[in-house]
Amino acid sequence: MGMSNTVQQLSVFLENREGRLEEVLDVLARNDVNIVALSLADTSDYGMLRMIVSDPHKGRAALKEDGITAMLTDVVALRVPHATGSLSKAMHQIVEGEVNIEYMYAFANGNDAAAVLKSDDPARVIDILKGSGFDVYTADEAYSANQ
């Protein structure tokens, strides 16, 4: 249980300059790596692009070959039912379990949604969620969502 349900997120530090995001997206497209979900946070100097993609290892290798530094991070993709308060209930369970969530972003996926959660203990987050009646996406499900 636990780590087998983590998802690898592809993360790229971007200079905050015109065209840099397009370069990353173009490399992934040319290498047939589909973007399932993404989050882009920026400051005045740089941005952090975080993505769930169809093949994280292939994406990272393609970016590296093009001179773009990327890293893989284990995250959890929580299944969030389209019902008021679902995410709040899940977060309550994580707080009760005394685990910190560093950041989160979400994407819709047909009958439900996914909240991508970054924690210092993803296996514990998975155990807490599953023990509380929530479900998480497997890596294969997350990498092929919305296709």
PDB file of all heavy atoms in Angstrom, residues 91-106:
ATOM      1  N   MET A  91      -9.120  17.281   3.372  1.00  0.00           N
ATOM      2  CA  MET A  91      -8.082  18.078   4.022  1.00  0.00           C
ATOM      3  C   MET A  91      -8.170  17.963   5.545  1.00  0.00           C
ATOM      4  O   MET A  91      -7.164  17.913   6.237  1.00  0.00           O
ATOM      5  CB  MET A  91      -8.169  19.552   3.606  1.00  0.00           C
ATOM      6  CG  MET A  91      -7.769  19.821   2.179  1.00  0.00           C
ATOM      7  SD  MET A  91      -6.094  19.308   1.785  1.00  0.00           S
ATOM      8  CE  MET A  91      -6.440  17.836   0.826  1.00  0.00           C
ATOM      9  N   HIS A  92      -9.390  17.889   6.061  1.00  0.00           N
ATOM     10  CA  HIS A  92      -9.585  17.726   7.503  1.00  0.00           C
ATOM     11  C   HIS A  92      -8.912  16.436   7.979  1.00  0.00           C
ATOM     12  O   HIS A  92      -8.246  16.424   9.019  1.00  0.00           O
ATOM     13  CB  HIS A  92     -11.076  17.721   7.851  1.00  0.00           C
ATOM     14  CG  HIS A  92     -11.336  17.494   9.306  1.00  0.00           C
ATOM     15  ND1 HIS A  92     -11.113  18.465  10.256  1.00  0.00           N
ATOM     16  CD2 HIS A  92     -11.755  16.387   9.976  1.00  0.00           C
ATOM     17  CE1 HIS A  92     -11.394  17.964  11.452  1.00  0.00           C
ATOM     18  NE2 HIS A  92     -11.791  16.704  11.307  1.00  0.00           N
ATOM     19  N   GLN A  93      -9.072  15.363   7.220  1.00  0.00           N
ATOM     20  CA  GLN A  93      -8.465  14.084   7.602  1.00  0.00           C
ATOM     21  C   GLN A  93      -6.937  14.184   7.599  1.00  0.00           C
ATOM     22  O   GLN A  93      -6.269  13.644   8.480  1.00  0.00           O
ATOM     23  CB  GLN A  93      -8.921  12.968   6.653  1.00  0.00           C
ATOM     24  CG  GLN A  93     -10.393  12.665   6.734  1.00  0.00           C
ATOM     25  CD  GLN A  93     -10.845  12.267   8.127  1.00  0.00           C
ATOM     26  OE1 GLN A  93     -10.176  11.518   8.822  1.00  0.00           O
ATOM     27  NE2 GLN A  93     -11.973  12.792   8.546  1.00  0.00           N
ATOM     28  N   ILE A  94      -6.379  14.883   6.630  1.00  0.00           N
ATOM     29  CA  ILE A  94      -4.927  15.046   6.541  1.00  0.00           C
ATOM     30  C   ILE A  94      -4.414  15.876   7.713  1.00  0.00           C
ATOM     31  O   ILE A  94      -3.407  15.549   8.332  1.00  0.00           O
ATOM     32  CB  ILE A  94      -4.523  15.657   5.179  1.00  0.00           C
ATOM     33  CG1 ILE A  94      -4.842  14.647   4.064  1.00  0.00           C
ATOM     34  CG2 ILE A  94      -3.059  16.051   5.164  1.00  0.00           C
ATOM     35  CD1 ILE A  94      -4.727  15.202   2.667  1.00  0.00           C
ATOM     36  N   VAL A  95      -5.133  16.946   8.042  1.00  0.00           N
ATOM     37  CA  VAL A  95      -4.754  17.782   9.193  1.00  0.00           C
ATOM     38  C   VAL A  95      -4.814  16.960  10.476  1.00  0.00           C
ATOM     39  O   VAL A  95      -3.905  17.020  11.308  1.00  0.00           O
ATOM     40  CB  VAL A  95      -5.655  19.034   9.289  1.00  0.00           C
ATOM     41  CG1 VAL A  95      -5.467  19.750  10.620  1.00  0.00           C
ATOM     42  CG2 VAL A  95      -5.369  19.979   8.132  1.00  0.00           C
ATOM     43  N   GLU A  96      -5.897  16.187  10.636  1.00  0.00           N
ATOM     44  CA  GLU A  96      -6.027  15.322  11.812  1.00  0.00           C
ATOM     45  C   GLU A  96      -4.875  14.321  11.890  1.00  0.00           C
ATOM     46  O   GLU A  96      -4.451  13.936  12.976  1.00  0.00           O
ATOM     47  CB  GLU A  96      -7.363  14.579  11.791  1.00  0.00           C
ATOM     48  CG  GLU A  96      -8.567  15.455  12.055  1.00  0.00           C
ATOM     49  CD  GLU A  96      -8.645  15.929  13.489  1.00  0.00           C
ATOM     50  OE1 GLU A  96      -8.565  15.089  14.395  1.00  0.00           O
ATOM     51  OE2 GLU A  96      -8.770  17.154  13.693  1.00  0.00           O
ATOM     52  N   GLY A  97      -4.380  13.895  10.741  1.00  0.00           N
ATOM     53  CA  GLY A  97      -3.256  12.972  10.684  1.00  0.00           C
ATOM     54  C   GLY A  97      -1.909  13.652  10.866  1.00  0.00           C
ATOM     55  O   GLY A  97      -0.868  13.009  10.809  1.00  0.00           O
ATOM     56  N   GLU A  98      -1.942  14.969  11.058  1.00  0.00           N
ATOM     57  CA  GLU A  98      -0.752  15.777  11.331  1.00  0.00           C
ATOM     58  C   GLU A  98       0.295  15.704  10.217  1.00  0.00           C
ATOM     59  O   GLU A  98       1.491  15.564  10.463  1.00  0.00           O
ATOM     60  CB  GLU A  98      -0.138  15.407  12.687  1.00  0.00           C
ATOM     61  CG  GLU A  98      -1.089  15.640  13.846  1.00  0.00           C
ATOM     62  CD  GLU A  98      -0.485  15.297  15.196  1.00  0.00           C
ATOM     63  OE1 GLU A  98       0.561  14.620  15.250  1.00  0.00           O
ATOM     64  OE2 GLU A  98      -1.088  15.709  16.205  1.00  0.00           O
ATOM     65  N   VAL A  99      -0.184  15.785   8.990  1.00  0.00           N
ATOM     66  CA  VAL A  99       0.703  15.819   7.833  1.00  0.00           C
ATOM     67  C   VAL A  99       0.537  17.174   7.155  1.00  0.00           C
ATOM     68  O   VAL A  99      -0.575  17.656   6.981  1.00  0.00           O
ATOM     69  CB  VAL A  99       0.376  14.681   6.838  1.00  0.00           C
ATOM     70  CG1 VAL A  99       1.293  14.760   5.627  1.00  0.00           C
ATOM     71  CG2 VAL A  99       0.490  13.322   7.505  1.00  0.00           C
ATOM     72  N   ASN A 100       1.648  17.776   6.769  1.00  0.00           N
ATOM     73  CA  ASN A 100       1.624  19.072   6.109  1.00  0.00           C
ATOM     74  C   ASN A 100       1.526  18.907   4.594  1.00  0.00           C
ATOM     75  O   ASN A 100       2.207  18.078   4.006  1.00  0.00           O
ATOM     76  CB  ASN A 100       2.901  19.859   6.447  1.00  0.00           C
ATOM     77  CG  ASN A 100       2.882  21.243   5.862  1.00  0.00           C
ATOM     78  OD1 ASN A 100       1.910  21.972   5.997  1.00  0.00           O
ATOM     79  ND2 ASN A 100       3.960  21.622   5.193  1.00  0.00           N
ATOM     80  N   ILE A 101       0.678  19.701   3.979  1.00  0.00           N
ATOM     81  CA  ILE A 101       0.592  19.769   2.519  1.00  0.00           C
ATOM     82  C   ILE A 101       1.357  21.013   2.087  1.00  0.00           C
ATOM     83  O   ILE A 101       1.045  22.129   2.505  1.00  0.00           O
ATOM     84  CB  ILE A 101      -0.881  19.839   2.039  1.00  0.00           C
ATOM     85  CG1 ILE A 101      -1.649  18.583   2.472  1.00  0.00           C
ATOM     86  CG2 ILE A 101      -0.942  20.040   0.522  1.00  0.00           C
ATOM     87  CD1 ILE A 101      -1.126  17.283   1.903  1.00  0.00           C
ATOM     88  N   GLU A 102       2.381  20.830   1.267  1.00  0.00           N
ATOM     89  CA  GLU A 102       3.229  21.939   0.827  1.00  0.00           C
ATOM     90  C   GLU A 102       2.553  22.784  -0.248  1.00  0.00           C
ATOM     91  O   GLU A 102       2.656  24.001  -0.245  1.00  0.00           O
ATOM     92  CB  GLU A 102       4.560  21.393   0.318  1.00  0.00           C
ATOM     93  CG  GLU A 102       5.353  20.695   1.414  1.00  0.00           C
ATOM     94  CD  GLU A 102       6.594  20.014   0.888  1.00  0.00           C
ATOM     95  OE1 GLU A 102       7.131  20.442  -0.162  1.00  0.00           O
ATOM     96  OE2 GLU A 102       7.042  19.053   1.534  1.00  0.00           O
ATOM     97  N   TYR A 103       1.892  22.113  -1.199  1.00  0.00           N
ATOM     98  CA  TYR A 103       1.121  22.822  -2.217  1.00  0.00           C
ATOM     99  C   TYR A 103       0.128  21.859  -2.831  1.00  0.00           C
ATOM    100  O   TYR A 103       0.211  20.640  -2.638  1.00  0.00           O
ATOM    101  CB  TYR A 103       2.005  23.468  -3.291  1.00  0.00           C
ATOM    102  CG  TYR A 103       2.896  22.516  -4.053  1.00  0.00           C
ATOM    103  CD1 TYR A 103       2.408  21.756  -5.115  1.00  0.00           C
ATOM    104  CD2 TYR A 103       4.242  22.396  -3.726  1.00  0.00           C
ATOM    105  CE1 TYR A 103       3.221  20.889  -5.816  1.00  0.00           C
ATOM    106  CE2 TYR A 103       5.066  21.531  -4.425  1.00  0.00           C
ATOM    107  CZ  TYR A 103       4.561  20.786  -5.463  1.00  0.00           C
ATOM    108  OH  TYR A 103       5.377  19.931  -6.153  1.00  0.00           O
ATOM    109  N   MET A 104      -0.810  22.434  -3.591  1.00  0.00           N
ATOM    110  CA  MET A 104      -1.865  21.633  -4.201  1.00  0.00           C
ATOM    111  C   MET A 104      -2.365  22.358  -5.449  1.00  0.00           C
ATOM    112  O   MET A 104      -2.372  23.583  -5.504  1.00  0.00           O
ATOM    113  CB  MET A 104      -3.017  21.470  -3.198  1.00  0.00           C
ATOM    114  CG  MET A 104      -4.218  20.754  -3.744  1.00  0.00           C
ATOM    115  SD  MET A 104      -5.500  20.475  -2.490  1.00  0.00           S
ATOM    116  CE  MET A 104      -5.985  22.145  -2.099  1.00  0.00           C
ATOM    117  N   TYR A 105      -2.782  21.594  -6.446  1.00  0.00           N
ATOM    118  CA  TYR A 105      -3.499  22.125  -7.593  1.00  0.00           C
ATOM    119  C   TYR A 105      -4.471  21.050  -8.044  1.00  0.00           C
ATOM    120  O   TYR A 105      -4.371  19.899  -7.614  1.00  0.00           O
ATOM    121  CB  TYR A 105      -2.569  22.579  -8.727  1.00  0.00           C
ATOM    122  CG  TYR A 105      -1.595  21.554  -9.252  1.00  0.00           C
ATOM    123  CD1 TYR A 105      -1.876  20.828 -10.408  1.00  0.00           C
ATOM    124  CD2 TYR A 105      -0.381  21.324  -8.608  1.00  0.00           C
ATOM    125  CE1 TYR A 105      -0.981  19.903 -10.901  1.00  0.00           C
ATOM    126  CE2 TYR A 105       0.523  20.397  -9.103  1.00  0.00           C
ATOM    127  CZ  TYR A 105       0.222  19.687 -10.242  1.00  0.00           C
ATOM    128  OH  TYR A 105       1.117  18.766 -10.741  1.00  0.00           O
ATOM    129  N   ALA A 106      -5.429  21.406  -8.861  1.00  0.00           N
ATOM    130  CA  ALA A 106      -6.488  20.459  -9.198  1.00  0.00           C
ATOM    131  C   ALA A 106      -6.780  20.463 -10.687  1.00  0.00           C
ATOM    132  O   ALA A 106      -6.458  21.416 -11.390  1.00  0.00           O
ATOM    133  CB  ALA A 106      -7.754  20.808  -8.420  1.00  0.00           C
TER     134      ALA A 106
END
